[in-house]
């Protein structure tokens, strides 16, 4: 289960980045990219927590 959650968090973060980049292209505003980047950072934190628990 932990491996599946790790992959889900990774893919969610990656998709947030791509959606933010698409939003930047579609609107010309940096706001969608900033929101996508913020969501990516949150997903990265969850991924790091899962990896940290594995090591401990």
């Amino acid at each position: 289960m932990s491996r599946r959650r790790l992959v889900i968090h990774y893919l969610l973060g990656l998709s947030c980045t791509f959606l933010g980049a698409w939003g930047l292209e579609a609107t010309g505003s940096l706001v969608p990219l900033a929101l996508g980047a913020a969501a990516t950072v949150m997903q990265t934190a969850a991924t790091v927590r899962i990896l940290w628990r594995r090591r401990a």
Side-chain angles (χ1 to χ4, degrees):
M1 171 96 165
S2 174
R3 183 179 200 80
R4 184 176 179 184
R5 284 182 59 202
L6 179 69
V7 172
I8 288 172
H9 283 293
Y10 175 75
L11 291 176
L12 279 173
L14 195 60
S15 65
C16 288
T17 302
F18 286 137
L19 285 173
W22 175 80
L24 170 69
E25 181 67 28
T27 63
S29 172
L30 288 175
V31 173
L33 187 60
L35 292 173
T40 300
V41 168
M42 288 186 274
Q43 294 302 321
T44 301
T47 303
V48 169
R49 257 187 275 135
I50 291 170
L51 289 174
W52 191 266
R53 286 183 195 150
R54 265 193 191 172
R55 287 199 106 182

